[in-house]
């Protein structure tokens, strides 16, 4: 039987769904991550001492070009300052964890490295570009600039050597023998050293080839190395609180435990030298304690706790400026100052916050199976400015078998059921929404016998020359309004709709559709006028709806039996 559209109430509109958002190259990590090739400074906000501290980040590394200080951390946080006290943040760059940053004096660029082989670059810390996605796509943990080249340490023992002076920025890939994570790299003149998570220390000449293993302590997980220009020593620390030193990078002292209580979870993340007192510094802690340890002789250490601010991940000292920064978990940032009278160091906490303080998530709580689900995110800062953050959010589903997130951040409804969607902004703010997936947005059902009495409320056994009526009930199963657009029935002249009895229209003369609210029902009454004898047969019928943004939904199909006979 030929089928067609008999009634069409509203002009057809284009289907809409989740659009691919963002400009520049996309960053594919756990979820869709977008990076703007140029982010305007208008999307930054000064981070002052009275800002909201509820938005917390893990800060991992900091560097300077002499006049500008830039720090990076988890969830793509990037902050910068002209004085180390008042900080601005860049929003919407990436949601990838950034582990390390350096400044290249040769080409005047900052380079930051993070998860999935991502390397980004910037000349001013405000406008960032994807510099490379290194292959294999390991998480990049450390970076060191030497003679204008970048040496990047990664998971599984990989070291990427990038020739930034080459027109193509060629990359040489090497791998150390113990396959440990390359957490730290340091250098002096043409000698380079690195430390791994498996207790390996390796060295090579700058223009040399393979990294050579010179020391292995399986119980040590090296977290940081630094070249001390005062004594001309390489110094290193491990997560479990041991320190070592070497004059030439090849022969190392025995490990000395500098900080106790590492068996309780304390970790030492960084080592440096204070530029005024020349004290050795260690930074670390855990979720309940923040501490900085110092020593005059690299043997006896004095540890000072600063409460439960968050573990220190990096201590970086700036000799020319005469002060240090200690940064870490939970947005922890301490800045040192030197008291000449007492010849002592004081650490002050710096408060900062990302500019975005709230966001509105626009997404429906119910979805039709096999649909892509649209959403939008409007974020606001303390100045009541609003930004569209849809392309910068990281979305996860608690039950991917119900709704999954594809590689470009679209939400796809797979199977019936419920899941919790989590929307994470680059600054760490998280929002949750429940989503229920159902087979069809609108059900179409044959009511119980006797509910409607139109002759026999059936289209079977109807005598030729008479009329049969049959009612079906449509119910909106979604959490939002739906409007009838058209009813699909067979394209013939003996099966039509009885518009005087159909309640899915307000006015049978002009076919004005109703707005079906969540959980509400309306009826469609089919009319059958047999002209000849017809054996038992069926036809399919369904209804097309639109929501408030003209997204199209199709009801389940009704399979309606009919037959005509001669008296």
């Amino acid at each position: 039987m030929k089928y067609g559209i008999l009634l069409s109430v509203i002009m057809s509109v284009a289907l809409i769904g989740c659009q691919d958002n963002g400009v520049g190259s996309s960053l594919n990590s756990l979820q869709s991550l977008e990076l703007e090739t140029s982010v305007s400074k208008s999307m930054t906000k000064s981070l002052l001492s009275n800002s909201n501290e509820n938005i917390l980040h893990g800060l991992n590394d900091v560097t300077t070009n002499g006049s500008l200080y830039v720090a990076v951390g988890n969830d793509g946080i990037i902050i910068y300052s002209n004085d180390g006290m008042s900080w601005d943040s860049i929003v919407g760059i990436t949601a990838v964890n950034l582990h390390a940053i350096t400044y290249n004096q040769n080409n005047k660029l900052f380079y930051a490295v993070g998860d999935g082989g991502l390397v980004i670059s910037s000349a001013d810390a405000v406008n960032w570009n994807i510099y490379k996605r290194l292959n294999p796509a390991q998480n990049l943990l450390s970076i060191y600039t030497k003679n204008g080249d970048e040496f990047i340490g990664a998971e599984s023992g990989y070291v990427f050597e990038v020739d930034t002076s080459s027109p193509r920025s060629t990359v040489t890939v090497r791998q150390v023998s113990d396959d440990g994570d390359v957490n730290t790299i340091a250098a002096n003149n043409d000698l380079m050293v690195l430390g791994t998570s498996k207790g390996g220390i390796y060295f090579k000449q700058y223009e040399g080839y393979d990294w050579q293993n010179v020391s292995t302590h399986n119980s040590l997980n090296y977290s940081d190395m630094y070249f001390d220009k005062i004594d001309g020593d390489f110094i290193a620390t491990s997560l479990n609180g041991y320190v070592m030193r070497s004059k030439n990078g090849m022969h190392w002292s025995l490990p000395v435990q500098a900080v106790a209580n590492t068996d309780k979870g304390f970790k030492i993340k960084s080592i440096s030298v204070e530029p005024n007192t020349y004290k050795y510094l260690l930074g670390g802690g855990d979720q309940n304690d923040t501490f900085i340890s110092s020593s005059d002789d690299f043997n006896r250490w004095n540890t000072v706790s600063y409460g439960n601010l968050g573990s220190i991940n990096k201590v970086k000292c700036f000799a020319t400026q005469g002060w240090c920064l200690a940064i870490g978990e939970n947005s922890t940032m301490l800045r040192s100052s030197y008291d000449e009278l007492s010849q002592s160091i004081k650490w002050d906490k710096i408060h900062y916050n990302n500019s975005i303080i709230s966001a509105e998530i626009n997404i429906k709580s119910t979805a039709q199976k096999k649909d892509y689900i649209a959403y939008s995110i409007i974020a606001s800062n303390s100045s009541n400015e609003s930004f569209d953050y849809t392309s910068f959010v990281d979305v996860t589903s608690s039950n991917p078998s119900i709704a999954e997130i594809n590689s470009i951040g679209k939400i796809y409804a797979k199977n019936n059921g419920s899941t919790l969607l989590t929307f994470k902004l680059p600054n760490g703010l998280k929002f949750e929404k429940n989503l229920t997936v159902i087979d069809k947005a609108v059900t179409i059902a044959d009511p119980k016998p006797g509910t409607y009495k139109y002759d026999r409320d059936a289209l079977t056994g109807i005598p030729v020359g008479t009329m049969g009526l049959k009612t079906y009930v449509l119910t909106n199963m979604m959490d939002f309004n739906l409007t009838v657009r058209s009813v699909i029935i067979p394209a013939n002249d003996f099966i039509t709709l009885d518009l005087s009895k159909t309640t899915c229209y307000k006015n049978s003369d002009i076919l004005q559709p109703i707005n079906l609210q969540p959980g509400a029902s309306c009826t469609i009454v089919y009319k059958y006028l047999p002209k000849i004898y017809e054996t038992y047969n069926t036809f399919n019928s369904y209804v097309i709806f639109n929501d408030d943004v003209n997204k199209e939904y199709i009801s389940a199909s009704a399979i309606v039996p009919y037959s005509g006979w001669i008296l």
Side-chain angles (χ1 to χ4, degrees):
M1 181 178 290
K2 182 179 179 181
Y3 290 80
I5 298 178
L6 179 62
L7 301 176
S8 180
V9 180
I10 302 175
M11 292 183 63
S12 176
V13 294
L15 292 177
I16 66 168
C18 297
Q19 301 295 318
D20 294 341
N21 293 302
V23 293
S25 303
S26 64
L27 302 176
N28 293 321
S29 180
L30 298 179
Q31 305 296 338
S32 167
L33 308 172
E34 304 288 352
L35 182 144
E36 294 241 29
T37 57
S38 179
V39 178
S40 169
K41 192 170 181 179
S42 66
M43 294 185 70
T44 68
K45 176 177 177 292
S46 181
L47 307 176
L48 304 176
S49 60
N50 293 325
S51 60
N52 185 349
E53 296 181 50
N54 293 327
I55 305 172
L56 304 176
H57 311 277
L59 296 172
N60 296 322
D61 199 10
V62 61
T63 194
T64 185
N65 64 1
S67 60
L68 185 65
Y69 305 88
V70 186
V72 297
N74 296 339
D75 305 313
I77 181 68
I78 300 174
I79 62 176
Y80 66 96
S81 172
N82 293 317
D83 58 7
M85 291 296 291
S86 178
W87 292 79
D88 285 12
S89 68
I90 308 297
V91 298
I93 299 296
T94 179
V96 167
N97 291 336
L98 299 174
H99 298 287
I101 187 170
T102 188
Y103 182 74
N104 190 317
Q105 288 285 356
N106 284 28
N107 60 18
K108 309 302 181 186
L109 289 176
F110 292 96
Y111 292 95
V113 298
D115 289 348
L118 176 68
V119 185
I120 59 177
S121 64
S122 174
D124 58 7
V126 175
N127 302 287
W128 289 84
N129 298 279
I130 296 175
Y131 177 66
K132 285 187 181 296
R133 293 186 183 89
L134 295 175
N135 176 35
Q138 301 289 321
N139 291 342
L140 308 180
L141 307 174
S142 55
I143 185 169
Y144 191 92
T145 302
K146 181 66 178 175
N147 296 338
D149 294 334
E150 301 301 335
F151 292 79
I152 301 171
E155 292 180 326
S156 304
Y158 283 97
V159 181
F160 300 90
E161 301 173 8
V162 183
D163 182 359
T164 60
S165 63
S166 164
R168 292 175 291 184
S169 298
T170 54
V171 179
T172 300
V173 183
R174 307 187 194 279
Q175 189 175 28
V176 299
S177 58
D178 70 7
D179 296 336
D181 297 342
V182 181
N183 293 324
T184 180
I185 302 174
N188 174 41
N189 295 326
D190 285 339
L191 182 67
M192 307 197 67
V193 297
L194 64 79
T196 76
S197 61
K198 292 187 177 180
I201 294 179
Y202 295 78
F203 85 98
K204 73 182 283 291
Q205 296 298 322
Y206 165 67
E207 293 184 349
Y209 296 98
D210 295 332
W211 291 85
Q212 301 177 49
N213 180 245
V214 295
S215 177
T216 300
H217 293 274
N218 293 330
S219 62
L220 302 184
N221 180 344
Y222 289 110
S223 53
D224 197 18
M225 286 181 168
Y226 178 79
F227 181 73
D228 171 23
K229 294 181 180 180
I230 299 171
D231 285 327
D233 292 344
F234 287 100
I235 54 178
T237 186
S238 68
L239 282 180
N240 55 347
Y242 286 83
V243 294
M244 297 169 61
R245 54 196 295 267
S246 170
K247 282 291 184 184
N248 57 17
M250 294 176 282
H251 303 93
W252 289 78
S253 66
L254 289 175
V256 173
Q257 188 171 25
V259 179
N261 294 325
T262 53
D263 58 329
K264 295 182 179 180
F266 292 1
K267 295 180 180 180
I268 308 301
K269 301 289 189 65
S270 187
I271 190 167
S272 190
V273 175
E274 202 282 322
N276 297 285
T277 63
Y278 301 148
K279 289 180 180 290
Y280 300 99
L281 299 177
L282 297 174
D286 63 9
Q287 62 181 355
N288 298 314
D289 199 3
T290 303
F291 61 78
I292 296 174
S293 190
S294 62
S295 174
D296 292 316
D297 59 4
F298 209 71
N299 184 259
R300 303 282 298 183
W301 293 80
N302 178 48
T303 300
V304 177
S305 174
Y306 292 87
N308 59 347
L309 304 178
S311 176
I312 297 295
N313 291 332
K314 192 70 174 182
V315 177
K316 183 69 70 72
C317 294
F318 307 100
T320 303
Q321 293 80 0
W323 46 265
C324 309
L325 284 172
I327 61 174
E329 299 300 320
N330 302 327
S331 301
T332 297
M333 180 176 283
L334 304 173
R335 185 184 185 275
S336 71
S337 58
Y338 177 62
D339 185 347
E340 292 185 355
L341 184 62
S342 63
Q343 295 186 341
S344 62
I345 300 299
K346 177 185 177 182
W347 292 90
D348 295 308
K349 182 180 178 183
I350 298 174
H351 302 256
Y352 85 92
N353 188 18
N354 209 291
S355 58
I356 300 302
I357 60 174
S358 64
E360 180 182 354
I361 312 297
N362 299 308
I363 186 172
K364 295 178 170 68
S365 62
T366 54
Q368 187 171 261
K369 186 176 176 181
K370 297 184 179 180
D371 259 357
Y372 282 100
I373 304 159
Y375 64 91
S376 64
I377 298 172
I378 304 300
S380 301
N381 62 20
S382 57
S383 300
N384 293 322
E385 298 172 310
S386 296
F387 306 100
D388 186 348
Y389 260 55
T390 306
S391 58
F392 302 125
V393 73
D394 181 18
V395 189
T396 56
S397 171
S398 65
N399 193 342
S401 66
I402 302 300
E404 67 178 5
I405 319 300
N406 68 12
S407 61
I408 58 173
K410 288 187 176 182
I411 305 171
Y412 179 67
K414 293 181 66 177
N415 295 295
N416 292 0
S418 296
T419 186
L420 181 66
L421 299 175
T422 301
F423 299 84
K424 184 178 180 181
L425 272 64
N427 66 358
L429 276 176
K430 292 182 180 180
F431 302 88
E432 294 179 340
K433 294 287 185 178
N434 289 303
L435 176 70
T436 300
V437 179
I438 58 178
D439 271 323
K440 287 294 181 180
V442 179
T443 61
I444 184 167
D446 185 354
K448 294 180 180 180
T451 303
Y452 299 94
K453 302 219 179 267
Y454 306 135
D455 291 344
R456 292 173 46 249
D457 196 23
L459 304 185
T460 55
I462 305 301
V464 173
T466 63
M467 177 183 68
L469 298 174
K470 177 60 186 172
T471 302
Y472 277 80
V473 178
L474 282 75
T475 303
N476 180 4
M477 304 300 293
M478 310 302 274
D479 67 327
F480 48 88
N481 293 346
L482 290 173
T483 301
V484 176
R485 172 178 156 190
S486 55
V487 180
I488 309 302
I489 62 174
N492 58 47
D493 58 358
F494 52 88
I495 294 177
T496 59
L497 295 183
D498 190 327
L499 296 175
S500 66
K501 296 179 173 60
T502 294
T503 63
C504 288
Y505 297 104
K506 293 180 181 178
N507 190 313
S508 60
D509 293 329
I510 60 174
L511 301 181
Q512 183 180 2
I514 68 165
N515 193 335
L516 203 60
Q517 296 181 349
S521 299
C522 65
T523 61
I524 291 178
V525 181
Y526 300 100
K527 181 164 61 176
Y528 174 45
L529 297 167
K531 298 180 180 180
I532 60 172
Y533 171 76
E534 289 195 79
T535 59
Y536 182 90
N537 207 337
T538 62
F539 66 86
N540 291 339
S541 178
Y542 59 90
V543 181
I544 300 174
F545 293 84
N546 286 116
D547 65 9
D548 55 356
V549 292
N550 286 330
K551 180 176 175 61
E552 185 178 86
Y553 294 88
I554 299 175
S555 76
S557 291
I559 303 176
V560 184
Y562 68 95
S563 63
W565 62 287
I566 301 175
L567 292 173

